[in-house]
Amino acid sequence: MFKTHKPGPDDAWEGTVEDKSRGMLDGANMYHFATVRCADGRSIKVRIDRRLWKSIAVGDRIVKEPGSDPAKA
């Protein structure tokens, strides 16, 4: 089964970027991911858009609030 890692519209989290990656999971589209360490210690891998992926670096903070896309803090 394939997991998209795309955050849901009601998800909310905040954390520090630990890693960035990208890949052509379906062979046709490029997907961009960030591994984020949240304040509670858990680590999540989320799919983000290309513009955000290009603007962040390891150590940057990103925030996802309900009803919006992840953004650099």
Side-chain angles (χ1 to χ4, degrees):
M1 189 159 125
F2 179 72
K3 184 174 180 179
T4 66
H5 299 285
K6 188 170 183 179
D10 296 330
D11 290 349
W13 45 262
E14 179 177 345
T16 305
V17 176
E18 289 187 325
D19 188 33
K20 293 175 20 174
S21 62
R22 62 184 181 168
M24 295 181 72
L25 305 178
D26 59 7
N29 297 303
M30 182 66 71
Y31 295 97
H32 299 82
F33 300 97
T35 303
V36 178
R37 174 70 60 181
C38 296
D40 61 4
R42 66 188 167 114
S43 183
I44 57 174
K45 184 174 183 179
V46 293
R47 194 172 112 195
I48 56 177
D49 67 6
R50 179 177 179 253
R51 187 175 350 156
L52 177 60
W53 188 85
K54 289 181 83 171
S55 72
I56 61 173
V58 172
D60 287 349
R61 294 191 57 78
I62 59 175
V63 176
K64 164 67 172 87
E65 295 180 358
S68 66
D69 292 330
K72 189 173 177 180

